[in-house]
Amino acid sequence: MASRAHTLERFAWIPLAAVVAAVVAAAPALAADPYPSKPITLVVPFSAGGPTDVVARSVGAAMSKTLGQTVVVENKTGAGGTVAPAHVARADADGYTILIHHNGMATAPALYRKLSYDPLKDFEYVGQVADVPMTMLGKKDLPPNTAAELIKYAQQNKDKVNLANAGLGAVSQLCGLLFEQAVGVKFNVIPFQGTAPALNALLGGQVDLLCDQTTSTLPHIAAGKVKMYGVTTPERIKALPNAPTLQEGGLKGFDMKVWHGVYAPKGTPPDAVAKLTAALQAALKDPAVVKRMQDLGAEIVPASKQTPEGLKTRLKAESDKWQPMLKRAGAVAD
């Protein structure tokens, strides 16, 4: 009994408030679970089944293996792909809500006067994913058969040629804009609400031309339902080894790829970002992902680009490339 009393006397000098404060301060650390301790939501700016969604689902499933938690894909569409990044920018910066987006992250500031987020300032960078070549297609009965013939035909019939795209901010719009500038022709541009209706219009012969990703166009090219004028990359691609490039057809310097990156809200803890980057890098080595990308005509970026710094550099370079071009073209929405 005396021993117990002596022990109590030893700690009697410690103020009760200090004891309580120490316990409260230690509580979060004791209660916090190691990241990740619950499913992670990967937000996609476009509809299910679209090119970016296909990439997201393949990569997300593989990332789950490394993270030990399910990566749930959520499609938040609208406003040319700006709804999803706005949502992620406002999300809790805890690593449980992340974004996958393409070139639209670089072009949105030039396309929209009122943008509720800053692509360069409101996100943490996880890493790049893959580059997707694009293809210039024509309806089945369009007279030209080669890129060189298409260029000549477009210049001679500029008031009659219809060029479809998937809407403001879509990569098909960007490719079409680049093609117009390269050819020196202003086409009759017809925007659609998405890739699927634009492709359907081309397949049905309602429009003459469409430039879009191999992730969407390869099946139609293989089936011979469209005329294939060339790929938009400087070199020929593995998915279409016999298809010439538009550069071969006479458009020197023509280079257009769809690139994808993964982002987290600004302020996401560095250890969470590091785990997401490691999981992304592991996913891009996964044989199932590698094969899926090959089937889509996509090219996984080098390991040096599968990093926060690699994505940051790419976003800055693409912003510097496209924003002045879009502003000059007057391609702006409210």
Side-chain angles (χ1 to χ4, degrees), residues 35-36 40-42 59 63 66-67 71 94-99 124-127 262-265 268-283 306 308:
Y35 175 84
I40 296 165
T41 299
L42 177 59
V59 172
M63 288 178 69
T66 301
L67 294 167
V71 176
D94 54 10
Y96 290 102
T97 303
I98 58 177
L99 170 74
E124 302 292 348
Y125 305 95
V126 176
V262 177
Y263 306 80
T268 299
D271 65 320
V273 175
K275 287 182 179 181
L276 288 167
T277 298
L280 174 63
Q281 293 171 336
Q306 301 167 13

Side-chain angles (χ1 to χ4, degrees), residues 140-187:
K140 188 74 180 292
D141 60 354
L142 199 66
N145 294 309
T146 66
E149 291 178 5
L150 175 62
I151 294 167
K152 185 177 180 180
Y153 178 83
Q155 291 170 340
Q156 293 176 344
N157 298 273
K158 56 186 177 182
D159 296 330
K160 302 176 183 177
V161 179
N162 295 322
L163 174 65
N165 67 48
L168 184 68
V171 289
S172 54
Q173 183 210 17
L174 301 181
C175 185
L177 178 62
L178 201 62
F179 187 71
E180 283 184 323
Q181 292 189 358
V183 176
V185 170
K186 188 67 176 175
F187 296 107

Side-chain angles (χ1 to χ4, degrees), residues 49-59 129-135 212-219 221 237-240 258 260 288-300:
T52 303
D53 178 78
V54 171
V55 172
R57 291 180 188 277
S58 178
V59 172
V129 180
D131 289 338
V132 183
M134 303 189 75
T135 51
D212 215 331
Q213 306 175 58
T214 54
T215 45
S216 300
T217 63
L218 282 179
I221 294 170
I237 62 174
K238 294 178 182 178
L240 294 167
V258 182
H260 299 82
V289 175
V290 172
K291 185 179 186 306
R292 183 61 172 146
M293 294 300 107
Q294 289 175 343
D295 292 344
L296 295 170
E299 301 171 354
I300 293 173

Side-chain angles (χ1 to χ4, degrees), residues 3-133:
S3 175
R4 180 179 177 187
H6 178 69
T7 301
L8 291 172
E9 287 175 5
R10 287 174 57 198
F11 291 97
W13 61 272
I14 303 176
L16 179 60
V19 175
V20 173
V23 171
V24 171
L30 294 172
D33 293 321
Y35 175 84
S37 59
K38 61 182 181 180
I40 296 165
T41 299
L42 177 59
V43 182
V44 179
F46 308 105
S47 57
T52 303
D53 178 78
V54 171
V55 172
R57 291 180 188 277
S58 178
V59 172
M63 288 178 69
S64 298
K65 300 176 186 177
T66 301
L67 294 167
Q69 292 289 342
T70 303
V71 176
V72 180
V73 172
E74 180 179 359
N75 302 89
K76 281 194 171 294
T77 64
T82 62
V83 170
H87 169 77
V88 174
R90 295 190 302 267
D92 291 338
D94 54 10
Y96 290 102
T97 303
I98 58 177
L99 170 74
I100 185 169
H101 206 339
H102 62 28
N103 310 46
M105 281 292 273
T107 59
L111 291 171
Y112 297 91
R113 293 188 181 93
K114 300 175 183 177
L115 200 63
S116 64
Y117 61 93
D118 186 327
L120 290 166
K121 296 179 179 179
D122 292 342
F123 299 90
E124 302 292 348
Y125 305 95
V126 176
Q128 291 186 60
V129 180
D131 289 338
V132 183

